Amino acid sequence: QVQLVESGGGLVQAGGSLRLSCVASGSIISINAMGWYRQAPGKQRELVAGIFSGGTTNYADSVKGRFTISRDNAKNVVYLQMNSLKPEDTAVYYCNAAIRSSWERGYLQVWGQGTLVTVSS
């Protein structure tokens, strides 16, 4: 069984910073892409940032220049450093990873339980 556990969410004032962490645990052979998604009330879940095992990253236009995604492959951890936060960044943030846990199967998409980020104006 493989699971992702996020931490680091909370309440912050506009202009502030937060750092989210997501640890993958369980029977893991390898992890390909890892990423952060978010879902605000009444809106669809959207990709915030992604990072491949080699380090290539991509960001939503709305967070470019403010958020930074990084990962520690040795620890199976992905981070999201969020700076200059805005009220519109308020959402539940979900970690996602493509994980291979069996030689008989390919990579499976695994989701974390989500962590709430609230940015007050």
Side-chain angles (χ1 to χ4, degrees):
Q1 190 77 7
V2 175
Q3 64 175 353
L4 299 175
V5 178
E6 301 107 330
S7 61
L11 174 63
V12 65
Q13 289 188 332
S17 298
L18 282 175
R19 188 192 196 206
L20 305 183
S21 300
C22 171
V23 181
S25 62
S27 178
I28 297 172
I29 294 174
S30 63
I31 303 176
N32 192 357
M34 303 184 82
W36 290 94
Y37 289 72
R38 67 186 180 187
Q39 187 166 20
K43 295 187 177 181
Q44 290 187 332
R45 189 174 298 188
E46 63 175 357
L47 174 67
V48 176
I51 183 168
F52 288 91
S53 57
T56 302
T57 60
N58 61 291
Y59 296 91
D61 288 342
S62 59
V63 306
K64 283 181 181 177
R66 300 188 297 123
F67 291 11
T68 302
I69 189 170
S70 61
R71 64 190 283 175
D72 185 332
N73 291 330
K75 297 181 180 179
N76 293 332
V77 178
V78 61
Y79 305 98
L80 185 67
Q81 178 66 44
M82 304 186 293
N83 299 328
S84 302
L85 283 161
K86 305 175 181 180
E88 51 263 42
D89 294 318
T90 295
V92 177
Y93 283 70
Y94 297 91
C95 178
N96 172 269
I99 298 176
R100 187 170 194 174
S101 59
S102 167
W103 290 113
E104 289 74 33
R105 303 177 70 182
Y107 288 88
L108 298 178
Q109 295 293 326
V110 181
W111 290 91
Q113 81 287 354
T115 184
L116 178 62
V117 172
T118 303
V119 184
S120 63
S121 58

